[in-house]
Amino acid sequence: SAVISQKPSRDICQRGTSLTIQCQVDSQVTMMFWYRQQPGQSLTLIATANQGSEATYESGFVIDKFPISRPNLTFSTLTVSNMSPEDSSIYLCSVEWDSRDEQYFGPGTRLTVT
Amino acid sequence: GDSVTQMEGPVTLSEEAFLTINCTYTATGYPSLFWYVQYPGEGLQLLLKATKADDKGSNKGFEATYRKETTSFHLEKGSVQVSDSAVYFCALSDQGGSYIPTFGRGTSLIVHP
């Protein structure tokens, strides 16, 4: 299995600012994913990040708001730009392990926008 | 499209009680089915999975059987513990597609001593 860490674990930010969340995996993986989990809700996929190519965004999410970098096979960042209180959520990164259909998740970043 | 429906929570039980969390799904293909668990303050962890009809996934005393005829994958445990308190997510992934899972809304389980 993969061990995934995220930084920061939580943050409180002011509206209009941006926050970059880091995701580090202890092994090389092809596909990394970013999810949003709003309070009491299920997970919503934001985008899929493959190394060496542009991230693929799901409907309702755009690159200007959620730019993603994937510089190598063990690391990715998600930026939440120009934040508003509606962006308050837990943001999770995950990886698909060994080309199987299982996903392994990081511990999440709990973001509060005031 | 694919979808997963879970029973609404919270489910509140006393320690050693029997647990069932219902999950039904809609899929066009032959999906793999999963249960993930999210403990307070943590990310999701894969609890168990089943990849074809009549398969039973099991882990840590939890079980779920892939029922194609009823499109269900109910989670059961014979005797819950306080440490099982968490949110449980049912999910499916289309084996013929992108493998990106579709998650249910999650069911919160609270176990009292």
Side-chain angles (χ1 to χ4, degrees), chain A residues 13-17 36-39 41 44 46 60-61 65-66 80-91 111-114:
Chain A
C13 301
Q14 292 191 344
R15 73 168 65 215
T17 62
R36 182 172 72 183
Q37 183 181 18
Q38 294 181 302
Q41 302 295 315
T44 302
I46 297 171
F61 297 96
K65 175 67 175 177
F66 297 101
V80 186
S81 302
N82 188 24
M83 288 184 283
S84 67
E86 291 71 35
D87 294 319
S88 297
S89 283
I90 299 172
Y91 291 85
L111 171 62
T112 302
V113 183
T114 60

Side-chain angles (χ1 to χ4, degrees), chain A residues 101, chain B residues 2 29-33 50-52 66 93-99:
Chain A
D101 48 7
Chain B
D2 296 346
Y30 299 93
S32 293
L33 301 175
T51 58
K52 60 183 188 297
Y66 191 143
S93 73
D94 181 358
Q95 296 185 57
S98 67
Y99 288 101

Side-chain angles (χ1 to χ4, degrees), chain A residues 37 42 96 101-103 105-106, chain B residues 32 36 38 43 49 99 101 104:
Chain A
Q37 183 181 18
S42 186
E96 184 181 86
D101 48 7
E102 302 169 12
Q103 291 207 354
F105 286 82
Chain B
S32 293
Y36 285 85
Q38 185 178 32
K49 65 181 282 190
Y99 288 101

Side-chain angles (χ1 to χ4, degrees), chain A residues 31 33 35 37 40-43 45 48 90 92 96 99-108 110, chain B residues 32 34 36 38 41-46 49 51 87 89 93 95 98-101 103-106:
Chain A
M31 297 181 74
F33 307 90
Y35 288 86
Q37 183 181 18
Q41 302 295 315
S42 186
L43 281 70
L45 182 65
T48 302
I90 299 172
L92 295 157
E96 184 181 86
S99 298
R100 294 178 295 183
D101 48 7
E102 302 169 12
Q103 291 207 354
Y104 290 85
F105 286 82
R110 186 178 296 271
Chain B
S32 293
F34 308 86
Y36 285 85
Q38 185 178 32
E42 300 183 13
L44 277 72
Q45 304 173 24
L46 179 63
K49 65 181 282 190
T51 58
V87 180
F89 291 90
S93 73
Q95 296 185 57
S98 67
Y99 288 101
I100 297 174
F103 288 90
R105 293 171 64 89

Side-chain angles (χ1 to χ4, degrees), chain B:
Chain B
D2 296 346
S3 67
V4 175
T5 302
Q6 290 182 236
M7 63 187 289
E8 289 200 19
V11 173
T12 304
L13 296 172
S14 297
E15 207 165 23
E16 300 183 3
F18 185 86
L19 168 70
T20 300
I21 300 178
N22 291 337
C23 171
T24 57
Y25 67 90
T26 303
T28 53
Y30 299 93
S32 293
L33 301 175
F34 308 86
W35 279 100
Y36 285 85
V37 58
Q38 185 178 32
Y39 297 102
E42 300 183 13
L44 277 72
Q45 304 173 24
L46 179 63
L47 180 61
L48 54 85
K49 65 181 282 190
T51 58
K52 60 183 188 297
D54 300 325
D55 266 3
K56 178 185 285 188
S58 62
N59 186 26
K60 299 181 181 180
F62 291 89
E63 292 183 341
T65 302
Y66 191 143
R67 300 288 188 200
K68 190 169 183 292
E69 64 277 12
T70 55
T71 63
S72 65
F73 193 56
H74 303 322
L75 183 68
E76 297 182 337
K77 186 176 186 182
S79 176
V80 294
Q81 306 299 312
V82 172
S83 58
D84 294 326
S85 299
V87 180
Y88 292 82
F89 291 90
C90 186
L92 68 82
S93 73
D94 181 358
Q95 296 185 57
S98 67
Y99 288 101
I100 297 174
T102 299
F103 288 90
R105 293 171 64 89
T107 302
S108 175
L109 170 65
I110 301 168
V111 181
H112 293 295

Side-chain angles (χ1 to χ4, degrees), chain A residues 51-102:
Chain A
Q51 192 266 338
S53 63
E54 294 284 333
T56 302
Y57 289 83
E58 297 298 303
S59 176
F61 297 96
V62 296
I63 187 170
D64 289 346
K65 175 67 175 177
F66 297 101
I68 289 171
S69 77
R70 181 79 200 273
N72 57 52
L73 291 173
T74 63
F75 187 78
S76 179
T77 67
L78 169 75
T79 298
V80 186
S81 302
N82 188 24
M83 288 184 283
S84 67
E86 291 71 35
D87 294 319
S88 297
S89 283
I90 299 172
Y91 291 85
L92 295 157
C93 73
S94 74
V95 304
E96 184 181 86
W97 181 247
D98 196 23
S99 298
R100 294 178 295 183
D101 48 7
E102 302 169 12

